[in-house]
Amino acid sequence: MQLPAPEENVSEKVLWGKDEAVERLGGDEELFWELCEIFLQEYPKLLQKLGQAIAESDAVAVMRAAHSLKGELGYLGAVEASKASRALEHMGHEKNLSEAAEMFASLERHLAALHRAMKVSAGATR
Amino acid sequence: MLIAEDDPIFRRVLESWLQKWNYRVITLENGLDAWSILQQKDAPQMAILDWMMPGLDGIELCRRIRSQQPGHYKYVLLLTAKGSKEDIVAGLEAGADDYLTKPFDVNELRARVRAGKRILELQDALLSVQTELQFQSAHDHLTGLWNHGAIAGLLQREAQRSARMGHPLGVMMADLDHFKRINDSYGHQTGDAVLREVAGRMLASVRNYDYVGRYGGEEFLIVLTECTASALAATAERMRACISGTPVATDAGPIPVTVSIGCVTGHATGPSFPKGEDLLHAADTALYRAKNNGRNRVEHAPETRMASQSHAAAQ
């Protein structure tokens, strides 16, 4: 996958509220990294589903895939990516996908940045 | 604890925590698999169900759980990403006991699971008290046999059943000989020990599907289903011999005990079957004869005549 450069104005903190997520897990860092690994395996599938749903203008499928992503991203503290998927979920719910492709591209960028950040942090911690 | 959650991250979080808190956890990825587990006999008592799942969602799963045959209560915690009041109300109305909004934190989950555990423990306590009370209300405290009310009811029920099935019914009235003397010479405690031992020997003398009840102080009523007159005679004699054969060992030393037994077999004659009271009365009369004829013996009521008499009386 081609990874676009992260946007300059998105600080690591906004990209990824990791501390908060670890706190939610009762401070269990080990579990947190395990969840990140699961996420890194899972999110490409969801992203692919979402992209396909947008391409096929399937609003219900957009809502479902975006909903799952939103939940996971929110849980792992990925604030910006979670916001983008929430917006997509809402578009699916409203059955108005006119701006979905644009939002999807933004979500992809956030996820790519998150992916890198997770890899780097995980490498540094372990 | 059953967890039904399609999202791998939340599934892992829940599993990890609950295992850490020493719950036995079954995790499933969809509602249909969860439903098939929940229908099993030894299904988990607590379930955490995700609202949105493929196949069968958490709400529908709640409804199915609540429409199940009444048995052990299942505590259901619904997991939702939706935070609106309407959604929460819909979840609770579908039968959820509580809900948890994603993203939940570890303390909230623990508190809600504990609340559920308290409810289930309370229910377990109530059920065991209920079972205990049911047993107590039907059993004699001293001997553990059926008590007066229960054995009388069983006689009625079995008389009716035998009439319908066309089976013979055996009834015995047994009375310990000179029991008052044992109480007077050795005290009530020893008397009680004798009653307990005799009760055990009575139970050992009958088939395990026969009913033995303590009808009065030292009087016992025994109901034997599908029992012919000759089988009844053999059982009664075996019981008498078992009780008189070996003295009862007590703290006050071995005490010889004998029993007198009156028997009757209920048979269908024509369209009628003797009622429970008729059988009881006939067995009692036979018992009197056993006492008058020297005790430590078995006497039989003239069954066929008894039955036809009752038939005639009913006309």
Side-chain angles (χ1 to χ4, degrees):
Chain A
M1 188 179 0
Q2 199 188 344
L3 300 177
E7 288 167 43
E8 299 274 315
N9 59 346
V10 177
S11 72
E12 160 110 3
K13 180 76 189 160
V14 178
L15 178 76
W16 195 17
K18 172 178 150 263
D19 296 347
E20 226 174 281
V22 173
E23 198 183 306
R24 231 190 329 260
L25 292 170
D28 189 341
E29 287 240 9
E30 200 178 321
L31 178 60
F32 177 74
W33 291 117
E34 193 189 331
L35 297 181
C36 286
E37 261 166 41
I38 297 175
F39 176 76
L40 291 176
Q41 281 169 21
E42 288 294 317
Y43 90 86
K45 289 181 230 163
L46 283 171
L47 202 59
Q48 198 206 343
K49 261 190 207 169
L50 184 56
Q52 195 182 338
I54 292 171
E56 291 170 0
S57 299
D58 183 346
V60 175
V62 168
M63 181 177 71
R64 289 230 173 97
H67 175 85
S68 301
L69 268 173
K70 179 196 75 178
E72 296 184 355
L73 288 165
Y75 201 67
L76 295 176
V79 181
E80 291 300 317
S82 175
K83 269 185 199 161
S85 41
R86 183 184 306 146
L88 281 163
E89 183 189 7
H90 186 71
M91 290 173 193
H93 184 74
E94 298 293 313
K95 304 211 184 312
N96 176 6
L97 301 181
S98 58
E99 289 165 31
E102 202 177 320
M103 188 55 77
F104 180 71
S106 159
L107 175 64
E108 272 187 317
R109 275 197 303 279
H110 288 306
L111 282 173
L114 183 68
H115 190 134
R116 257 197 308 271
M118 275 184 180
K119 285 273 184 199
V120 170
S121 301
T125 328
R126 297 207 157 173
Chain B
M1 172 76 73
L2 178 141
I3 296 169
E5 161 67 274
D6 59 325
D7 187 292
I9 290 188
F10 289 107
R11 196 164 63 237
R12 178 66 193 123
V13 172
L14 291 167
E15 182 187 45
S16 165
W17 282 340
L18 290 162
Q19 280 175 345
K20 206 183 280 178
W21 302 331
N22 291 321
Y23 288 92
R24 271 182 301 142
V25 182
I26 305 174
T27 55
L28 300 152
E29 299 176 24
N30 68 67
L32 282 170
D33 289 350
W35 177 234
S36 72
I37 297 276
L38 286 167
Q39 282 172 291
Q40 289 171 8
K41 230 185 154 194
D42 52 351
Q45 286 194 60
M46 206 187 299
I48 299 181
L49 311 176
D50 188 33
W51 182 303
M52 279 180 117
M53 277 187 292
L56 196 59
D57 66 18
I59 291 277
E60 182 53 30
L61 205 45
C62 270
R63 286 204 191 97
R64 291 204 187 177
I65 290 169
R66 293 302 174 233
S67 64
Q68 256 179 328
Q69 292 298 314
H72 232 73
Y73 189 75
K74 288 193 174 45
Y75 192 89
V76 177
L77 200 53
L78 200 62
L79 214 52
T80 168
K82 311 177 167 199
S84 82
K85 250 182 205 162
E86 289 81 3
D87 288 333
I88 288 163
V89 169
L92 294 175
E93 272 179 355
D97 292 287
D98 201 356
Y99 67 93
L100 206 55
T101 311
K102 290 184 204 170
F104 47 84
D105 72 14
V106 61
N107 293 324
E108 186 179 3
L109 177 71
R110 198 208 304 248
R112 299 213 185 250
V113 168
R114 273 190 190 151
K117 205 175 148 207
R118 273 199 299 275
I119 299 283
L120 290 174
E121 281 168 357
L122 195 61
Q123 198 217 3
D124 278 350
L126 282 173
L127 279 179
S128 68
V129 168
Q130 191 190 33
T131 310
E132 175 65 25
L133 283 177
Q134 264 169 0
F135 184 89
Q136 278 179 16
S137 71
H139 288 80
D140 173 53
H141 179 68
L142 177 69
T143 59
L145 298 175
W146 296 104
N147 63 22
H148 179 96
I151 192 69
L154 284 164
L155 172 61
Q156 295 290 350
R157 196 185 71 186
E158 290 307 322
Q160 281 164 12
R161 201 209 300 274
S162 303
R164 198 166 66 87
M165 305 298 289
H167 293 149
L169 181 69
V171 177
M172 302 197 295
M173 189 66 102
D175 193 89
L176 298 196
D177 298 322
H178 300 303
F179 182 68
K180 197 173 175 307
R181 283 187 206 164
I182 296 175
N183 264 341
D184 289 348
S185 354
Y186 300 97
H188 284 283
Q189 234 174 337
T190 303
D192 285 353
V194 168
L195 284 171
R196 268 198 295 269
E197 171 62 24
V198 166
R201 292 187 191 184
M202 284 181 171
L203 282 175
S205 310
V206 299
R207 305 163 300 179
N208 59 8
Y209 44 89
D210 292 326
Y211 303 102
V212 181
R214 186 175 175 207
Y215 201 67
E218 66 267 25
E219 200 173 23
F220 300 85
L221 176 60
I222 299 114
V223 179
L224 305 96
T225 56
E226 284 184 61
C227 186
T228 60
S230 60
L232 179 66
T235 305
E237 180 49 34
R238 188 166 63 237
M239 185 181 288
R240 186 204 62 76
C242 175
I243 290 168
S244 65
T246 321
V248 175
T250 70
D251 291 345
I255 300 175
V257 180
T258 63
V259 66
S260 299
I261 301 176
C263 298
V264 65
T265 306
H267 278 291
T269 49
S272 97
F273 192 92
K275 289 181 182 151
E277 302 95 270
D278 302 333
L279 292 168
L280 196 61
H281 181 71
D284 214 27
T285 307
L287 171 61
Y288 260 89
R289 216 167 47 245
K291 293 276 185 190
N292 287 334
N293 289 345
R295 298 187 170 83
N296 189 21
R297 56 187 288 130
V298 178
E299 290 285 348
H300 295 268
E303 51 184 89
T304 44
R305 208 180 64 213
M306 190 281 310
S308 56
Q309 266 175 354
S310 116
H311 177 41
Q315 301 261 305

